[in-house]
Amino acid sequence: MQMTRKVVETRDGLPFLISGSGTLGWDQVAANLVEPGENVLVLQTGYFGAGFADCIKVYGGKPKVLKAPYGSHIGLEEIEVALRTKKYKAITITHVDTSTGVLSDVKAIAATVRRTSPDTLVVVDGVCSVGSEELKMDAWRLDVVTTASQKGLGVPPGLCILVASPRAIEVFEARKTPVTTYFASWGKWMPVMRAYDNKTAAYFATPPVNLIRAYHASLSEITKLSPSLDERYRIHKQVSRRVKALADQLGLSLVPKDTAYAANGMTAIYLPDGLVASDVVPRMASKGITIAAGLGDAKDKYIRIGHMGTSVVDAERGDIDRIAKSLQASLNEAKNAKKAVVEETP
Amino acid sequence: MQMTRKVVETRDGLPFLISGSGTLGWDQVAANLVEPGENVLVLQTGYFGAGFADCIKVYGGKPKVLKAPYGSHIGLEEIEVALRTKKYKAITITHVDTSTGVLSDVKAIAATVRRTSPDTLVVVDGVCSVGSEELKMDAWRLDVVTTASQKGLGVPPGLCILVASPRAIEVFEARKTPVTTYFASWGKWMPVMRAYDNKTAAYFATPPVNLIRAYHASLSEITKLSPSLDERYRIHKQVSRRVKALADQLGLSLVPKDTAYAANGMTAIYLPDGLVASDVVPRMASKGITIAAGLGDAKDKYIRIGHMGTSVVDAERGDIDRIAKSLQASLNEAKNAKKAVVEETP
């Protein structure tokens, strides 16, 4: 519990560690903080923002989606205008949308919200960012940060991690309508989490003990003094610049239109004309490197490379060099294979 | 997917394998099969039946609880009378309520339901029974069987397993009101599960890959030809009789009032007067054996010993002998410690 607080840099936030995927974090927000009919401003910078909006609707909230142009982010002015036109219970920000690799400026957005509409709860989906992108829950005055075990925290998937600010808990406790979820209900989980905090036992549902142990081990590593969290973020940025430079060098463009808002824990790269993701992903796999195809409508046209956690912080592993070499080789192989097919066609 | 079907003995049931605990199975039933205002008959043989009723209420269903006297089961006549007085969308049965060790006769109850109220869906909470108690989904015409990875299936916790009959899926698809959960929504998961069935990929939320691998390994073991499932159930019964005889021999009584409805994968045993669970559980732990205190109001007065899965089927491990010896020794130690305290008191 204490280490979870450390990672998102909060003193008094209440962590909820529940068996489930990152998606369960959306359910917790939509079901516990938003009451039916209340408005939520959803910033959509890719596939995952759309999912969050869908989830809010399921629980009776009214999502208003601000959609960024593909590969771009959402300007602060646009957010400010939206906040002035209507009263929003909450705003949701996908810190890094892993479908596009777009990084949102959570600090600036949160400041804008606090200035323009102070009662609006600031909710950050940090599934793809916690541990690899700078995130300061208290300093930036965020109300909810959700994440999952398998990304920047380097634990096998299956653990949903959410931290709620004291203000968020107050809003939850002041609800007028009953919560309409059972498994994701803070009312059910809060006594359990408070008991964990006091190092006593309580039961609501079986915790994923193995994952919690792995999580504990990984957080012990991440929250140790050296490298500090800030150093970790700096190293992620450094490595990210290398990967982005590599794409540039190979003549490839990034999905994010500007590196100013490109994620530091992953890179989404358009493939050269004539190649699709399935030409490259298996070739990388045969070299021992798992990368992913795109996600969404353009999913064949680009690839997504993760560079977060140990692979990045432990430079001696040489993971990034291997990614660079393998990517270059895979692209060449794929191009040659296509050329061969073209030449054989009479 | 196929092995999951094998374990619960169904040909056409659709498995939902989702990251979460067994409790998530209740949410799936309450949110996908029951519409607001519909009646559900809940058979309560301990703590877990009460939880299921609570969950149904959260999603707008109207649970009617038939509560067994503590340590007893619910008679078929009582169930039949209840089914005749009102129309029930579903009936829920806790196959083994691990808080009391009471085993419900699912086969007979399901037959009664099918005869008395054929449209009522038969839902079995098999969290503590699948893999250790006989359960034949198709032959007994059950509509939903839910379980979790960590009990009879011998996998670390974190995977919720639910199998829905084609009839249950039809009922779900004929809903008039929208489903009010996102993470537990069959509408979201069904395409993913059908894709798994066709061995293609689909995404809704990150699957707990490590657990699914462990699950695969464990099911490969359980569904192999020898011992067959029926033999496994027989071995569980045999071992259970030994544990129950041991309690008898030690002069202790069981929480279930009759061994005819006592679970075969665990035993709940009242402690002798003057001893509480915390006198015995740590002493067993120091001998390398994890047992549990009771659950619910009388939780200090009895202990719960699990005997399911490999510990039981692989007799060469000698686990049951060690349990017997350790229990006897722990009880003696605890009694002597109490006596010493009494003698020291002037």
Side-chain angles (χ1 to χ4, degrees):
Chain A
M1 300 288 283
Q2 276 310 333
M3 288 195 294
T4 302
R5 292 191 175 97
K6 250 189 196 168
V7 169
V8 298
E9 303 192 30
T10 180
R11 208 192 60 181
D12 300 320
L14 181 65
F16 291 84
L17 308 177
I18 308 181
S19 179
S21 77
T23 308
L24 186 64
W26 298 349
D27 282 73
Q28 288 185 57
V29 169
N32 293 288
L33 288 179
V34 183
E35 299 193 50
E38 289 181 336
N39 299 305
V40 179
L41 188 61
V42 174
L43 306 187
Q44 182 182 338
T45 49
Y47 178 90
F48 290 90
F52 209 153
D54 191 12
C55 178
I56 288 163
K57 219 181 293 173
V58 160
Y59 287 98
K62 288 189 173 166
K64 158 77 184 166
V65 176
L66 283 189
K67 194 174 168 181
Y70 195 77
S72 184
H73 69 159
I74 299 161
L76 294 176
E77 316 71 45
E78 199 183 337
I79 296 168
E80 196 168 331
V81 169
L83 288 170
R84 287 197 193 286
T85 54
K86 216 189 271 179
K87 192 169 175 282
Y88 287 101
K89 180 68 169 284
I91 180 172
T92 72
I93 312 164
T94 311
H95 196 179
V96 167
D97 198 301
T98 167
S99 73
T100 55
V102 168
L103 171 72
S104 291
D105 186 347
V106 170
K107 183 181 178 182
I109 296 171
T112 302
V113 176
R114 285 302 182 124
R115 204 181 57 242
T116 318
S117 173
D119 288 345
T120 300
L121 296 169
V122 179
V123 175
V124 177
D125 177 347
V127 167
C128 201
S129 71
V130 169
S132 61
E133 304 285 353
E134 187 180 39
L135 182 79
K136 298 183 185 300
M137 186 164 178
D138 284 359
W140 299 355
R141 296 202 288 165
L142 312 177
D143 291 296
V144 173
V145 174
T146 77
T147 189
S149 48
Q150 78 274 14
K151 302 274 178 171
L153 302 179
V155 177
L159 186 63
C160 174
I161 299 138
L162 181 148
V163 187
S165 71
R167 190 169 84 136
I169 298 291
E170 273 169 34
V171 167
F172 163 71
E173 285 174 339
R175 279 182 73 97
K176 289 187 188 68
T177 56
V179 168
T180 58
T181 173
Y182 188 74
F183 188 64
S185 161
W186 285 359
K188 303 286 176 194
W189 284 107
M190 218 141 58
V192 178
M193 295 301 148
R194 301 248 190 243
Y196 285 175
D197 246 346
N198 299 323
K199 301 200 190 307
T200 58
Y203 177 82
F204 171 58
T206 305
V209 283
N210 305 52
L211 290 174
I212 286 182
R213 253 179 229 183
Y215 177 66
H216 189 269
S218 184
L219 286 201
S220 302
E221 180 67 26
I222 291 175
T223 59
K224 68 185 184 187
L225 286 177
S226 170
S228 69
L229 276 172
D230 284 338
E231 282 170 77
R232 291 182 72 89
Y233 300 142
R234 203 181 39 73
I235 300 171
H236 275 87
K237 277 192 181 168
Q238 219 170 43
V239 168
S240 176
R241 272 196 298 269
R242 273 185 60 200
V243 177
K244 269 113 189 146
L246 168 74
D248 201 42
Q249 200 184 310
L250 293 170
L252 304 176
S253 45
L254 303 181
V255 175
K257 295 214 175 80
D258 192 322
T259 50
Y261 48 78
N264 294 300
M266 61 160 292
T267 302
I269 306 178
Y270 281 117
L271 292 169
D273 276 347
L275 290 190
V276 292
S278 56
D279 294 326
V280 179
V281 175
R283 288 194 165 87
M284 289 291 276
S286 74
K287 295 172 179 59
I289 294 174
T290 304
I291 65 167
L295 198 61
D297 294 338
K299 68 183 160 60
D300 294 329
K301 296 193 177 148
Y302 68 100
I303 53 172
R304 298 176 299 145
I305 302 178
H307 36 85
M308 55 175 69
T310 318
S311 296
V312 167
V313 177
D314 183 356
E316 281 174 19
R317 292 170 57 115
D319 287 351
I320 304 305
D321 292 327
R322 285 198 296 125
I323 289 177
K325 266 189 214 137
S326 307
L327 181 59
Q328 193 147 17
S330 298
L331 287 170
N332 285 337
E333 286 165 31
K335 277 184 206 161
N336 290 335
K338 293 267 157 163
K339 219 187 289 170
V341 172
V342 172
E343 280 165 5
E344 273 168 23
T345 314
Chain B
M1 299 288 283
Q2 276 309 334
M3 288 195 295
T4 301
R5 292 191 175 97
K6 250 189 198 169
V7 169
V8 298
E9 304 193 29
T10 179
R11 209 192 59 182
D12 300 320
L14 181 66
F16 290 85
L17 307 178
I18 308 181
S19 179
S21 77
T23 308
L24 186 63
W26 297 349
D27 283 73
Q28 288 185 59
V29 169
N32 293 289
L33 288 179
V34 183
E35 300 193 49
E38 289 181 336
N39 299 305
V40 179
L41 188 61
V42 174
L43 306 188
Q44 181 182 337
T45 49
Y47 178 90
F48 290 90
F52 209 153
D54 191 13
C55 178
I56 289 163
K57 219 181 293 171
V58 160
Y59 287 98
K62 288 189 173 165
K64 158 76 185 166
V65 176
L66 283 190
K67 194 173 169 183
Y70 195 77
S72 184
H73 69 158
I74 299 162
L76 294 176
E77 317 70 46
E78 200 182 338
I79 296 168
E80 196 168 331
V81 168
L83 288 170
R84 288 197 193 285
T85 54
K86 218 190 268 179
K87 193 170 175 281
Y88 287 100
K89 180 67 170 283
I91 180 172
T92 72
I93 311 164
T94 312
H95 196 178
V96 168
D97 198 301
T98 166
S99 74
T100 55
V102 168
L103 171 72
S104 291
D105 186 347
V106 170
K107 184 181 178 183
I109 296 171
T112 302
V113 177
R114 285 302 182 125
R115 203 181 56 243
T116 319
S117 173
D119 287 345
T120 300
L121 296 169
V122 180
V123 174
V124 177
D125 177 346
V127 166
C128 201
S129 71
V130 170
S132 61
E133 304 285 353
E134 187 180 38
L135 182 78
K136 298 184 185 299
M137 187 165 177
D138 284 359
W140 298 355
R141 296 202 289 166
L142 312 177
D143 291 296
V144 173
V145 174
T146 77
T147 189
S149 47
Q150 78 274 14
K151 302 274 179 170
L153 303 178
V155 177
L159 185 63
C160 174
I161 299 138
L162 180 148
V163 187
S165 71
R167 190 168 85 135
I169 299 291
E170 272 169 34
V171 167
F172 163 70
E173 285 174 338
R175 278 182 74 95
K176 289 187 188 67
T177 56
V179 168
T180 59
T181 173
Y182 188 74
F183 188 64
S185 162
W186 285 0
K188 303 286 176 195
W189 285 107
M190 218 141 58
V192 178
M193 295 301 147
R194 301 248 190 244
Y196 285 175
D197 247 346
N198 299 322
K199 302 200 190 307
T200 58
Y203 177 82
F204 171 59
T206 305
V209 283
N210 305 53
L211 290 174
I212 286 183
R213 254 178 229 183
Y215 177 65
H216 189 270
S218 184
L219 286 201
S220 302
E221 180 66 25
I222 291 176
T223 59
K224 69 185 183 186
L225 286 178
S226 170
S228 69
L229 276 172
D230 284 338
E231 282 170 77
R232 290 182 74 89
Y233 300 142
R234 202 181 39 73
I235 300 171
H236 275 87
K237 277 192 182 170
Q238 219 169 43
V239 168
S240 176
R241 272 195 299 268
R242 273 185 59 199
V243 177
K244 268 113 190 146
L246 169 74
D248 201 42
Q249 199 184 309
L250 294 171
L252 304 176
S253 46
L254 303 181
V255 176
K257 296 215 174 80
D258 192 321
T259 51
Y261 48 78
N264 294 300
M266 62 161 291
T267 302
I269 306 178
Y270 281 117
L271 292 169
D273 275 347
L275 290 191
V276 292
S278 56
D279 294 325
V280 180
V281 175
R283 289 195 164 87
M284 289 292 276
S286 75
K287 295 173 179 59
I289 294 174
T290 304
I291 65 167
L295 199 61
D297 294 337
K299 67 183 161 59
D300 294 328
K301 296 195 177 145
Y302 68 101
I303 52 172
R304 298 176 298 144
I305 303 178
H307 36 85
M308 54 175 69
T310 317
S311 296
V312 168
V313 177
D314 184 355
E316 281 174 18
R317 292 169 57 116
D319 287 352
I320 304 304
D321 293 327
R322 285 197 296 123
I323 289 177
K325 265 189 214 136
S326 307
L327 181 59
Q328 193 147 18
S330 298
L331 287 170
N332 286 337
E333 286 166 32
K335 277 184 208 161
N336 290 336
K338 293 267 156 161
K339 220 185 292 171
V341 172
V342 172
E343 281 164 6
E344 274 168 24
T345 314

PDB file of all heavy atoms in Angstrom, chain B residues 249-270:
ATOM      1  N   GLN B 249     -12.850 -39.502  15.609  1.00  0.00           N
ATOM      2  CA  GLN B 249     -11.895 -40.182  16.474  1.00  0.00           C
ATOM      3  C   GLN B 249     -11.338 -39.224  17.536  1.00  0.00           C
ATOM      4  O   GLN B 249     -11.058 -39.617  18.660  1.00  0.00           O
ATOM      5  CB  GLN B 249     -10.773 -40.641  15.541  1.00  0.00           C
ATOM      6  CG  GLN B 249      -9.862 -41.721  16.002  1.00  0.00           C
ATOM      7  CD  GLN B 249      -8.786 -41.898  14.911  1.00  0.00           C
ATOM      8  OE1 GLN B 249      -9.106 -42.052  13.719  1.00  0.00           O
ATOM      9  NE2 GLN B 249      -7.528 -41.830  15.309  1.00  0.00           N
ATOM     10  N   LEU B 250     -11.187 -37.952  17.160  1.00  0.00           N
ATOM     11  CA  LEU B 250     -10.676 -36.949  18.099  1.00  0.00           C
ATOM     12  C   LEU B 250     -11.809 -36.396  18.970  1.00  0.00           C
ATOM     13  O   LEU B 250     -11.601 -35.489  19.774  1.00  0.00           O
ATOM     14  CB  LEU B 250     -10.006 -35.796  17.343  1.00  0.00           C
ATOM     15  CG  LEU B 250      -8.716 -36.127  16.570  1.00  0.00           C
ATOM     16  CD1 LEU B 250      -8.298 -34.954  15.690  1.00  0.00           C
ATOM     17  CD2 LEU B 250      -7.589 -36.488  17.539  1.00  0.00           C
ATOM     18  N   GLY B 251     -13.010 -36.932  18.781  1.00  0.00           N
ATOM     19  CA  GLY B 251     -14.142 -36.481  19.587  1.00  0.00           C
ATOM     20  C   GLY B 251     -14.688 -35.123  19.173  1.00  0.00           C
ATOM     21  O   GLY B 251     -15.341 -34.439  19.957  1.00  0.00           O
ATOM     22  N   LEU B 252     -14.412 -34.728  17.938  1.00  0.00           N
ATOM     23  CA  LEU B 252     -14.864 -33.407  17.477  1.00  0.00           C
ATOM     24  C   LEU B 252     -16.056 -33.564  16.544  1.00  0.00           C
ATOM     25  O   LEU B 252     -16.164 -34.552  15.823  1.00  0.00           O
ATOM     26  CB  LEU B 252     -13.719 -32.706  16.736  1.00  0.00           C
ATOM     27  CG  LEU B 252     -12.412 -32.555  17.532  1.00  0.00           C
ATOM     28  CD1 LEU B 252     -11.334 -31.938  16.652  1.00  0.00           C
ATOM     29  CD2 LEU B 252     -12.648 -31.713  18.781  1.00  0.00           C
ATOM     30  N   SER B 253     -16.945 -32.580  16.536  1.00  0.00           N
ATOM     31  CA  SER B 253     -18.064 -32.690  15.604  1.00  0.00           C
ATOM     32  C   SER B 253     -17.888 -31.747  14.420  1.00  0.00           C
ATOM     33  O   SER B 253     -17.154 -30.764  14.482  1.00  0.00           O
ATOM     34  CB  SER B 253     -19.396 -32.455  16.315  1.00  0.00           C
ATOM     35  OG  SER B 253     -19.301 -31.327  17.139  1.00  0.00           O
ATOM     36  N   LEU B 254     -18.579 -32.087  13.337  1.00  0.00           N
ATOM     37  CA  LEU B 254     -18.478 -31.314  12.105  1.00  0.00           C
ATOM     38  C   LEU B 254     -19.502 -30.188  12.109  1.00  0.00           C
ATOM     39  O   LEU B 254     -20.546 -30.293  12.753  1.00  0.00           O
ATOM     40  CB  LEU B 254     -18.754 -32.215  10.897  1.00  0.00           C
ATOM     41  CG  LEU B 254     -17.869 -33.456  10.752  1.00  0.00           C
ATOM     42  CD1 LEU B 254     -18.266 -34.221   9.487  1.00  0.00           C
ATOM     43  CD2 LEU B 254     -16.397 -33.057  10.689  1.00  0.00           C
ATOM     44  N   VAL B 255     -19.211 -29.129  11.350  1.00  0.00           N
ATOM     45  CA  VAL B 255     -20.197 -28.060  11.198  1.00  0.00           C
ATOM     46  C   VAL B 255     -21.414 -28.586  10.421  1.00  0.00           C
ATOM     47  O   VAL B 255     -22.546 -28.373  10.850  1.00  0.00           O
ATOM     48  CB  VAL B 255     -19.563 -26.817  10.532  1.00  0.00           C
ATOM     49  CG1 VAL B 255     -20.624 -25.749  10.279  1.00  0.00           C
ATOM     50  CG2 VAL B 255     -18.444 -26.254  11.422  1.00  0.00           C
ATOM     51  N   PRO B 256     -21.223 -29.281   9.295  1.00  0.00           N
ATOM     52  CA  PRO B 256     -22.394 -29.872   8.637  1.00  0.00           C
ATOM     53  C   PRO B 256     -23.018 -30.912   9.567  1.00  0.00           C
ATOM     54  O   PRO B 256     -22.313 -31.770  10.106  1.00  0.00           O
ATOM     55  CB  PRO B 256     -21.813 -30.534   7.381  1.00  0.00           C
ATOM     56  CG  PRO B 256     -20.518 -29.835   7.143  1.00  0.00           C
ATOM     57  CD  PRO B 256     -19.991 -29.510   8.515  1.00  0.00           C
ATOM     58  N   LYS B 257     -24.326 -30.830   9.742  1.00  0.00           N
ATOM     59  CA  LYS B 257     -24.979 -31.685  10.726  1.00  0.00           C
ATOM     60  C   LYS B 257     -25.035 -33.142  10.300  1.00  0.00           C
ATOM     61  O   LYS B 257     -25.310 -34.020  11.106  1.00  0.00           O
ATOM     62  CB  LYS B 257     -26.393 -31.160  10.992  1.00  0.00           C
ATOM     63  CG  LYS B 257     -26.385 -29.771  11.631  1.00  0.00           C
ATOM     64  CD  LYS B 257     -27.532 -29.612  12.620  1.00  0.00           C
ATOM     65  CE  LYS B 257     -27.438 -28.294  13.351  1.00  0.00           C
ATOM     66  NZ  LYS B 257     -27.948 -27.164  12.532  1.00  0.00           N
ATOM     67  N   ASP B 258     -24.833 -33.394   9.003  1.00  0.00           N
ATOM     68  CA  ASP B 258     -24.927 -34.762   8.506  1.00  0.00           C
ATOM     69  C   ASP B 258     -23.855 -34.936   7.429  1.00  0.00           C
ATOM     70  O   ASP B 258     -23.722 -34.077   6.559  1.00  0.00           O
ATOM     71  CB  ASP B 258     -26.329 -34.968   7.899  1.00  0.00           C
ATOM     72  CG  ASP B 258     -26.615 -36.436   7.628  1.00  0.00           C
ATOM     73  OD1 ASP B 258     -25.686 -37.156   7.193  1.00  0.00           O
ATOM     74  OD2 ASP B 258     -27.767 -36.853   7.847  1.00  0.00           O
ATOM     75  N   THR B 259     -23.093 -36.036   7.495  1.00  0.00           N
ATOM     76  CA  THR B 259     -22.052 -36.210   6.472  1.00  0.00           C
ATOM     77  C   THR B 259     -22.669 -36.410   5.088  1.00  0.00           C
ATOM     78  O   THR B 259     -21.986 -36.283   4.085  1.00  0.00           O
ATOM     79  CB  THR B 259     -21.126 -37.408   6.786  1.00  0.00           C
ATOM     80  OG1 THR B 259     -21.945 -38.537   7.046  1.00  0.00           O
ATOM     81  CG2 THR B 259     -20.232 -37.120   7.976  1.00  0.00           C
ATOM     82  N   ALA B 260     -23.966 -36.697   5.019  1.00  0.00           N
ATOM     83  CA  ALA B 260     -24.620 -36.846   3.714  1.00  0.00           C
ATOM     84  C   ALA B 260     -24.532 -35.556   2.912  1.00  0.00           C
ATOM     85  O   ALA B 260     -24.519 -35.577   1.690  1.00  0.00           O
ATOM     86  CB  ALA B 260     -26.084 -37.242   3.904  1.00  0.00           C
ATOM     87  N   TYR B 261     -24.488 -34.420   3.589  1.00  0.00           N
ATOM     88  CA  TYR B 261     -24.335 -33.171   2.849  1.00  0.00           C
ATOM     89  C   TYR B 261     -23.108 -32.382   3.304  1.00  0.00           C
ATOM     90  O   TYR B 261     -23.128 -31.169   3.419  1.00  0.00           O
ATOM     91  CB  TYR B 261     -25.612 -32.316   2.880  1.00  0.00           C
ATOM     92  CG  TYR B 261     -26.246 -32.123   4.241  1.00  0.00           C
ATOM     93  CD1 TYR B 261     -25.711 -31.210   5.154  1.00  0.00           C
ATOM     94  CD2 TYR B 261     -27.376 -32.845   4.601  1.00  0.00           C
ATOM     95  CE1 TYR B 261     -26.287 -31.021   6.394  1.00  0.00           C
ATOM     96  CE2 TYR B 261     -27.961 -32.661   5.850  1.00  0.00           C
ATOM     97  CZ  TYR B 261     -27.413 -31.749   6.737  1.00  0.00           C
ATOM     98  OH  TYR B 261     -27.989 -31.563   7.964  1.00  0.00           O
ATOM     99  N   ALA B 262     -22.029 -33.130   3.563  1.00  0.00           N
ATOM    100  CA  ALA B 262     -20.754 -32.484   3.879  1.00  0.00           C
ATOM    101  C   ALA B 262     -19.876 -32.516   2.629  1.00  0.00           C
ATOM    102  O   ALA B 262     -19.843 -33.518   1.910  1.00  0.00           O
ATOM    103  CB  ALA B 262     -20.067 -33.207   5.028  1.00  0.00           C
ATOM    104  N   ALA B 263     -19.176 -31.428   2.373  1.00  0.00           N
ATOM    105  CA  ALA B 263     -18.319 -31.322   1.195  1.00  0.00           C
ATOM    106  C   ALA B 263     -17.212 -32.371   1.230  1.00  0.00           C
ATOM    107  O   ALA B 263     -16.775 -32.786   2.306  1.00  0.00           O
ATOM    108  CB  ALA B 263     -17.699 -29.929   1.130  1.00  0.00           C
ATOM    109  N   ASN B 264     -16.748 -32.771   0.041  1.00  0.00           N
ATOM    110  CA  ASN B 264     -15.680 -33.758  -0.047  1.00  0.00           C
ATOM    111  C   ASN B 264     -14.307 -33.143  -0.294  1.00  0.00           C
ATOM    112  O   ASN B 264     -13.308 -33.847  -0.318  1.00  0.00           O
ATOM    113  CB  ASN B 264     -15.997 -34.758  -1.158  1.00  0.00           C
ATOM    114  CG  ASN B 264     -17.218 -35.587  -0.814  1.00  0.00           C
ATOM    115  OD1 ASN B 264     -17.234 -36.285   0.189  1.00  0.00           O
ATOM    116  ND2 ASN B 264     -18.266 -35.469  -1.625  1.00  0.00           N
ATOM    117  N   GLY B 265     -14.268 -31.834  -0.498  1.00  0.00           N
ATOM    118  CA  GLY B 265     -12.986 -31.185  -0.772  1.00  0.00           C
ATOM    119  C   GLY B 265     -12.486 -30.375   0.411  1.00  0.00           C
ATOM    120  O   GLY B 265     -11.416 -29.770   0.364  1.00  0.00           O
ATOM    121  N   MET B 266     -13.269 -30.340   1.470  1.00  0.00           N
ATOM    122  CA  MET B 266     -12.880 -29.594   2.665  1.00  0.00           C
ATOM    123  C   MET B 266     -13.709 -30.097   3.840  1.00  0.00           C
ATOM    124  O   MET B 266     -14.742 -30.739   3.646  1.00  0.00           O
ATOM    125  CB  MET B 266     -13.157 -28.106   2.489  1.00  0.00           C
ATOM    126  CG  MET B 266     -14.632 -27.808   2.284  1.00  0.00           C
ATOM    127  SD  MET B 266     -15.084 -26.092   2.611  1.00  0.00           S
ATOM    128  CE  MET B 266     -14.874 -25.986   4.379  1.00  0.00           C
ATOM    129  N   THR B 267     -13.246 -29.812   5.054  1.00  0.00           N
ATOM    130  CA  THR B 267     -13.999 -30.211   6.235  1.00  0.00           C
ATOM    131  C   THR B 267     -13.989 -29.069   7.240  1.00  0.00           C
ATOM    132  O   THR B 267     -12.934 -28.502   7.527  1.00  0.00           O
ATOM    133  CB  THR B 267     -13.377 -31.479   6.869  1.00  0.00           C
ATOM    134  OG1 THR B 267     -13.368 -32.520   5.881  1.00  0.00           O
ATOM    135  CG2 THR B 267     -14.186 -31.947   8.059  1.00  0.00           C
ATOM    136  N   ALA B 268     -15.176 -28.737   7.739  1.00  0.00           N
ATOM    137  CA  ALA B 268     -15.300 -27.712   8.782  1.00  0.00           C
ATOM    138  C   ALA B 268     -15.554 -28.436  10.098  1.00  0.00           C
ATOM    139  O   ALA B 268     -16.517 -29.190  10.220  1.00  0.00           O
ATOM    140  CB  ALA B 268     -16.441 -26.762   8.451  1.00  0.00           C
ATOM    141  N   ILE B 269     -14.654 -28.244  11.061  1.00  0.00           N
ATOM    142  CA  ILE B 269     -14.684 -29.006  12.316  1.00  0.00           C
ATOM    143  C   ILE B 269     -14.776 -28.060  13.509  1.00  0.00           C
ATOM    144  O   ILE B 269     -13.966 -27.137  13.632  1.00  0.00           O
ATOM    145  CB  ILE B 269     -13.381 -29.840  12.466  1.00  0.00           C
ATOM    146  CG1 ILE B 269     -13.165 -30.719  11.222  1.00  0.00           C
ATOM    147  CG2 ILE B 269     -13.405 -30.678  13.734  1.00  0.00           C
ATOM    148  CD1 ILE B 269     -11.878 -31.535  11.280  1.00  0.00           C
ATOM    149  N   TYR B 270     -15.763 -28.297  14.376  1.00  0.00           N
ATOM    150  CA  TYR B 270     -15.844 -27.518  15.619  1.00  0.00           C
ATOM    151  C   TYR B 270     -14.677 -27.888  16.522  1.00  0.00           C
ATOM    152  O   TYR B 270     -14.294 -29.060  16.624  1.00  0.00           O
ATOM    153  CB  TYR B 270     -17.148 -27.818  16.365  1.00  0.00           C
ATOM    154  CG  TYR B 270     -18.346 -27.089  15.805  1.00  0.00           C
ATOM    155  CD1 TYR B 270     -19.414 -27.790  15.253  1.00  0.00           C
ATOM    156  CD2 TYR B 270     -18.413 -25.693  15.845  1.00  0.00           C
ATOM    157  CE1 TYR B 270     -20.520 -27.121  14.736  1.00  0.00           C
ATOM    158  CE2 TYR B 270     -19.514 -25.018  15.330  1.00  0.00           C
ATOM    159  CZ  TYR B 270     -20.561 -25.736  14.780  1.00  0.00           C
ATOM    160  OH  TYR B 270     -21.635 -25.070  14.272  1.00  0.00           O
TER     161      TYR B 270
END
